[in-house]
Amino acid sequence: IEEDPDLADRELFNKFRKGAGQNAVVKAETLVRNSTVRVPLLYNDTGKKKFIFCYDPARNFDGSILGIFQVIDDEEIGYKLQLENVISMVDQDTKAKTPLPMPQQLDIIKDALIAYNGERAAEWENILGFYIDAGAGGGGISAIADQLMEDWVDNLGRKHRGIIDPEHKQYETARSKYPTALPIVHLVDPQGYKKIMYGELEKNLKLDLINFTAYDNKDYLMIEKSNGEFETYSLNANERMALLQIELTKNEMVYMERFDTPNGGVQYELSRDKRNKMHDDRSYVCSLAAYALSLMRRKDLLKKPHENMNIDQIFVVKKPQLIKGRW
């Protein structure tokens, strides 16, 4: 009851959470509709699946969260995301549960890159993007992005290519100094993009383009097979942790609200009754992913007509316009 009042109300007293009310970015029923009972992926099990990483770094305050999303190219609706893992980089030995030192966080990120790129895959072939919050206080640039530019050697003695943001203004000269670094990093300024990101999160979830896991805090999952029968899957400790972190992510998202400012703008914050009780780092990671998804879908949409249509067909799908005296 003290650690998670919402969970206690739901599980002990049959009182379902109401979320943030009318101004909620994401409704609870939307998350229920987009959650399925499945085992989270802790590595690239086929060596062919594609992923994006979304990272909200922190060192002294808040949480330091890495979200890992599988990118699925659906034949009918195009690109969509599936949240596979959420890694909270917390130092469990500290009284206040503060984030781990940045070198340890960097090691966790490198291990995750290797695991989700998969065996027998070209260097970072299956990592389509690494989106990092570039806020001044988190250390995303100095402690993480700067350290990932250089080639590095893992614990097994294998050498890996660095990764870099090819467009960020702070890496104007670094691009020539690290020619082997792959351009898959995207540093995102929260001041300039937070409203856009949460707007994309709201839109993509309404369109059912981001899927989450459903978990009831047991040691096993009841997974439905193609014939309608159910099989019991026993979870290991890492799978349970991933599922618990995804549930915390959904809980944070339910309490994110959209506020109108006096000057006519919009702000996205936790509901007032939750601001001193919970963080919003996990929901922020999902907003990063929603922003990345919208970029992929927009690029795909612009590319496909030119691939599948001739020039006359492209004119047909546009609004009527006068061209050389003819509509």
Side-chain angles (χ1 to χ4, degrees), residues 208-227:
D208 299 339
L209 293 175
I210 304 178
N211 183 264
F212 303 86
T213 55
Y215 181 52
D216 56 3
N217 203 28
K218 293 185 172 65
D219 293 331
Y220 59 89
L221 296 177
M222 296 297 294
I223 299 177
E224 187 175 4
K225 298 191 291 186
S226 58
N227 60 5

Side-chain angles (χ1 to χ4, degrees), residues 3-226:
E3 291 180 0
D4 195 336
D6 293 314
L7 179 63
D9 282 342
R10 186 170 71 252
E11 299 295 335
L12 301 179
F13 305 109
N14 202 31
K15 297 178 181 178
F16 291 91
R17 61 189 179 193
K18 297 178 181 179
Q22 286 187 338
N23 294 327
V25 177
V26 181
K27 302 292 185 182
E29 55 266 28
T30 302
L31 289 174
V32 171
R33 186 177 72 244
N34 287 283
S35 298
T36 55
V37 178
R38 56 181 171 83
V39 182
L41 275 180
L42 303 183
Y43 62 97
N44 197 329
D45 55 345
T46 65
K48 296 180 180 179
K49 292 175 180 175
K50 310 296 183 182
F51 300 89
I52 60 170
F53 282 37
C54 297
Y55 176 50
D56 183 15
R59 178 62 186 97
N60 297 320
F61 306 102
D62 295 326
S64 191
I65 305 296
L66 175 65
I68 300 167
F69 298 77
Q70 184 183 169
V71 179
I72 299 172
D73 190 0
D74 188 277
E75 293 183 358
E76 295 183 359
I77 63 173
Y79 288 118
K80 62 181 182 179
L81 296 180
Q82 189 166 280
L83 181 54
E84 299 291 357
N85 198 359
V86 175
I87 301 173
S88 177
M89 303 190 194
V90 173
D91 188 349
Q92 297 291 344
D93 295 331
T94 59
K95 185 177 181 180
K97 298 295 186 288
T98 55
L100 289 164
M102 296 311 285
Q104 290 180 244
Q105 294 192 38
L106 181 64
D107 289 340
I108 292 173
I109 290 170
K110 288 179 176 179
D111 289 343
L113 285 169
I114 294 171
Y116 284 95
N117 190 56
E119 296 183 2
R120 301 181 66 82
E123 195 77 300
W124 313 136
E125 175 186 11
N126 294 321
I127 310 298
L128 300 186
F130 188 178
Y131 291 79
I132 302 176
D133 175 86
I141 296 178
S142 60
I144 300 299
D146 285 357
Q147 312 306 318
L148 288 172
M149 292 188 295
E150 193 170 4
D151 294 351
W152 48 279
V153 178
D154 65 20
N155 295 329
L156 299 177
R158 298 173 298 189
K159 188 175 182 180
H160 299 279
R161 291 174 64 179
I163 55 179
I164 193 172
D165 185 334
E167 298 178 355
H168 198 273
K169 59 184 179 181
Q170 290 196 226
Y171 294 140
E172 184 178 355
T173 59
R175 289 192 290 270
S176 60
K177 293 180 180 178
Y178 299 94
T180 62
L182 287 172
I184 61 172
V185 176
H186 304 274
L187 290 162
V188 182
D189 177 18
Q191 291 185 340
Y193 285 90
K194 185 176 181 180
K195 289 186 288 187
I196 297 173
M197 288 157 48
Y198 271 102
E200 296 295 344
L201 178 65
E202 185 175 10
K203 180 185 73 176
N204 286 327
L205 280 173
K206 286 180 180 178
L207 294 173
D208 299 339
L209 293 175
I210 304 178
N211 183 264
F212 303 86
T213 55
Y215 181 52
D216 56 3
N217 203 28
K218 293 185 172 65
D219 293 331
Y220 59 89
L221 296 177
M222 296 297 294
I223 299 177
E224 187 175 4
K225 298 191 291 186
S226 58

Side-chain angles (χ1 to χ4, degrees), residues 212-267:
F212 303 86
T213 55
Y215 181 52
D216 56 3
N217 203 28
K218 293 185 172 65
D219 293 331
Y220 59 89
L221 296 177
M222 296 297 294
I223 299 177
E224 187 175 4
K225 298 191 291 186
S226 58
N227 60 5
E229 296 180 354
F230 287 84
E231 64 176 350
T232 303
Y233 179 91
S234 297
L235 298 165
N236 61 40
N238 291 328
E239 290 167 340
R240 281 201 67 199
M241 180 58 67
L243 290 169
L244 287 169
Q245 287 294 328
I246 294 173
E247 288 301 307
L248 289 173
T249 300
K250 294 192 293 183
N251 195 44
E252 285 184 11
M253 292 169 64
V254 167
Y255 290 105
M256 290 301 297
E257 269 190 324
R258 181 180 57 256
F259 295 95
D260 295 325
T261 60
N263 60 0
V266 176
Q267 278 186 328

